[in-house]
Amino acid sequence: MQPPLYETVANEIAALIKAGTLRPGQRVPSVRRLSAQREVSISTVLQAYRLLEDRKIIEARPQSGYYVRHPGLRLAEPQRSEPPARPSKVGVSNLVEALLEAGKRPEIAPLGTACAAPELYPAARLQRIVSSLARRKPRLISAYSLPPGNDRLRQALARRALDWGCRLEPGNLIVTSGCTEAVNLCLRAVTEPGDTVALESPTYFGLLQIVESLKLKALEIPTCPRRGLSLDALELAMRSGRVKAAVVMSNASNPLGATLSDENKKRLAGLAAAHRVPVIEDNVHGEIYNGTHPPKVAKCYDPDGWILLCGSFSKTLAPGFRIGWVEPGRYRDRVYTHKFVASMAQPELLQEALAEFLESGGYDRHLRILRTRLAAQVGALSDAVAASFPKETRITRPAGGFVLWIELPEGVDAMTLHREALEHGIGIAPGPMFTASDRYRHCIRLNCGHPLTRPLEQAVMRLGDLVRHQLEVTRHKARVPA
């Protein structure tokens, strides 16, 4: 008897994977493309892909498609977070400072701070552009670039926004000192000390530091590693009147790597408008996505300006330039004033260099290579963790970016692991850095920004040994009578 057509299609894809034509981490043909190529229905392809998922050969990634699984990736994913339903004061700065200081030491394995390897960036090309501009236009060195920033760069940014589904006016964009300053300025514009701000849980520690410095309180919103923050929970918080603003990483969030669906981005924009609560959308990882098409931003569903969209080139192109930007919607004038008071200007020469690089098409070529290499590094580190850590460990499947969130077995303390790892020359980011509510004490975040060299692989193995040892000690103590 002939097998069903979908099984035949599945076997053909499996054969391509076995032969190495499709490799771990690579995207398999889209449903529509394979349907056209094989002249079969879309439902047949979907059945074939579900069968391959059941066989653990491929996996679906939200907003991206289907990908060949990494064979070592057998660990389960973390569940949706359940933070407390009350706002908290924030106090993470001392812990963050210790992590960043350790990250400066060259002998420390770079698994803690979310920084990509310098060789992944086109530093030589940017250096040539900067040198050429300095010779041709020396005035760029001797002139202030007052807010809102370089006209040429803002025009280039407005053109890029079309890829994210947005029609932005260059005049509404303000150049900032990285995305951190952009978010900081936005929060200053829409809140007062003592106000409550909604954040994903867990969330990027830099956002918590900003909230702490502005004397705001954080209300953590339950968040799923695949689907992003719970909009039902956010709506309840907005409806209560407690929340004066929200900060959301809608694409490749840090540390979970979650991306909101387009439907949920539209709903997010609708909630902001309906409850008149500004939403600061941090899109710093938005261009480091898995897939063939850039994800949209919630801003593209925001006709009334309740969403303040922030971005940066620090993760994608030139960390040392510290050039970011914001489209503040209805709060443009306030953000403009705060920017002028806070830092007045950004280097005109660096802005002009970025604009030239964007206009040349070099940025898009660079991003295609960067996304491929970072996705491979995420897969390689995932495999290394799966091979070295206890089987009860849970690990995220990020939709983009280059960090992994790891939930360790109960009984392992992330802060103890952090201290022990540093003693062995390994940097990690412990879970308590990513919350205002003293949670995630058995979680860590790992940086995948560096290629998995033999020394780094050995660091992951050593980290796994430390986890296993701590787990054994904890379980032994539990068995010994008091």
Side-chain angles (χ1 to χ4, degrees):
M1 179 183 292
Q2 286 286 98
L5 182 56
Y6 74 87
E7 188 173 334
T8 301
V9 174
N11 289 338
E12 289 177 357
I13 295 295
L16 291 174
I17 293 170
K18 186 176 181 180
T21 306
L22 293 171
R23 297 182 178 276
Q26 287 187 332
R27 191 174 189 264
V28 301
S30 69
V31 172
R32 291 188 180 277
R33 182 180 177 187
L34 190 59
S35 170
Q37 287 177 342
R38 294 286 284 106
E39 296 183 348
V40 297
S41 68
I42 287 177
S43 63
T44 296
V45 177
L46 285 172
Q47 283 181 290
Y49 281 177
R50 291 190 190 107
L51 180 60
L52 291 171
E53 280 191 282
D54 291 341
R55 293 178 182 174
K56 310 298 183 185
I57 295 174
I58 67 172
E59 62 177 355
R61 296 181 185 174
Q63 302 293 302
S64 299
Y66 292 88
Y67 289 76
V68 181
R69 282 176 62 95
H70 289 270
L73 195 58
R74 299 189 181 94
L75 300 178
E77 292 181 80
Q79 301 297 310
R80 190 183 88 153
S81 66
E82 295 295 340
R86 61 185 184 279
S88 307
K89 290 185 178 180
V90 183
V92 299
S93 289
N94 290 340
L95 184 56
V96 172
E97 183 178 351
L99 172 77
L100 297 180
E101 281 299 316
K104 294 177 184 177
R105 292 160 54 188
E107 74 275 15
I108 298 294
L111 295 172
T113 53
C115 299
E119 62 266 24
L120 295 183
Y121 297 115
R125 174 76 188 279
L126 291 172
Q127 181 186 32
R128 289 194 296 271
I129 294 174
V130 170
S131 298
S132 174
L133 284 170
R135 288 193 304 270
R136 290 183 285 120
K137 301 179 180 180
R139 65 166 187 81
L140 295 176
I141 299 175
S142 57
Y144 280 112
S145 176
L146 299 176
N150 180 275
D151 290 342
R152 188 180 175 191
L153 177 59
R154 291 184 296 124
Q155 289 165 2
L157 283 168
R159 287 192 292 271
R160 289 203 69 76
L162 295 173
D163 291 339
W164 318 325
C166 280
R167 296 177 64 89
L168 303 182
E169 294 294 330
N172 291 336
L173 290 162
I174 298 172
V175 180
T176 63
S177 180
C179 195
T180 299
E181 188 188 43
V183 174
N184 197 322
L185 296 173
C186 290
L187 278 173
R188 288 179 181 275
V190 302
T191 63
E192 298 289 341
D195 284 348
T196 295
V197 177
L199 299 163
E200 292 154 291
S201 182
T203 193
Y204 171 50
F205 57 76
L207 300 180
L208 290 170
Q209 284 185 289
I210 296 172
V211 169
E212 180 181 353
S213 70
L214 297 179
K215 296 180 171 55
L216 303 170
K217 290 180 286 187
L219 178 63
E220 298 183 47
I221 303 297
T223 306
C224 172
R226 284 280 185 128
R227 296 183 295 276
L229 87 168
S230 167
L231 293 182
D232 290 340
L234 180 63
E235 183 175 15
L236 285 174
M238 286 182 170
R239 190 181 297 163
S240 71
R242 293 180 297 168
V243 171
K244 299 303 180 184
V247 183
V248 177
M249 300 183 79
S250 60
N251 292 314
S253 65
N254 180 359
L256 294 180
T259 290
L260 290 175
S261 66
D262 289 348
E263 179 182 353
N264 280 342
K265 287 170 184 170
K266 185 175 183 179
R267 183 183 173 193
L268 174 63
L271 290 176
H275 297 283
R276 303 178 71 82
V277 175
V279 171
I280 300 166
E281 184 176 14
D282 181 344
N283 196 45
V284 71
H285 289 126
E287 298 205 278
I288 308 175
Y289 54 86
N290 299 327
T292 56
H293 301 291
K296 290 184 177 181
V297 291
K299 180 69 178 176
C300 70
Y301 302 108
D302 173 46
D304 299 320
W306 288 101
I307 292 184
L308 300 81
L309 179 63
C310 304
S312 168
F313 295 97
S314 296
K315 299 297 184 183
T316 58
L317 181 60
F321 279 22
R322 297 303 302 155
I323 300 293
W325 52 269
V326 56
E327 205 287 5
R330 60 176 53 228
Y331 298 95
R332 185 204 180 269
D333 290 346
R334 294 189 200 175
V335 171
Y336 177 97
T337 300
H338 283 296
K339 168 60 184 173
F340 192 90
V341 171
S343 55
M344 186 179 292
Q346 293 302 121
E348 181 79 0
L349 177 61
L350 301 184
Q351 292 181 72
E352 190 78 8
L354 285 179
E356 187 161 313
F357 192 64
L358 265 64
E359 291 171 355
S360 71
Y363 188 44
D364 286 312
R365 290 191 294 272
H366 158 69
L367 281 177
R368 286 193 289 271
I369 297 170
L370 180 69
R371 284 193 289 263
T372 299
R373 294 184 66 176
L374 287 176
Q377 290 171 196
V378 170
L381 192 62
S382 297
D383 287 352
V385 169
S388 304
F389 282 52
K391 65 180 185 302
E392 305 97 319
T393 304
R394 293 175 176 268
I395 186 170
T396 51
R397 314 279 201 273
F402 50 94
V403 295
L404 290 171
W405 181 252
I406 297 171
E407 188 178 294
L408 302 169
E410 292 290 345
V412 178
D413 181 75
M415 294 304 300
T416 301
L417 182 64
H418 169 57
R419 290 190 292 271
E420 293 175 343
L422 279 180
E423 291 173 2
H424 289 84
I426 306 168
I428 63 172
M433 293 177 59
F434 300 88
T435 176
S437 56
D438 195 34
R439 300 175 76 83
Y440 311 120
R441 297 196 66 85
H442 65 299
C443 297
I444 61 174
R445 189 199 69 182
L446 295 184
N447 170 43
C448 307
H450 292 253
L452 192 67
T453 58
R454 182 58 181 165
L456 200 57
E457 186 176 18
Q458 290 174 333
V460 175
M461 293 170 64
R462 184 60 180 152
L463 196 58
D465 289 341
L466 294 173
V467 171
R468 291 178 187 277
H469 177 71
Q470 192 182 143
L471 189 60
E472 288 171 4
V473 170
T474 302
R475 288 175 176 173
H476 176 72
K477 288 181 178 178
R479 290 193 297 267
V480 176

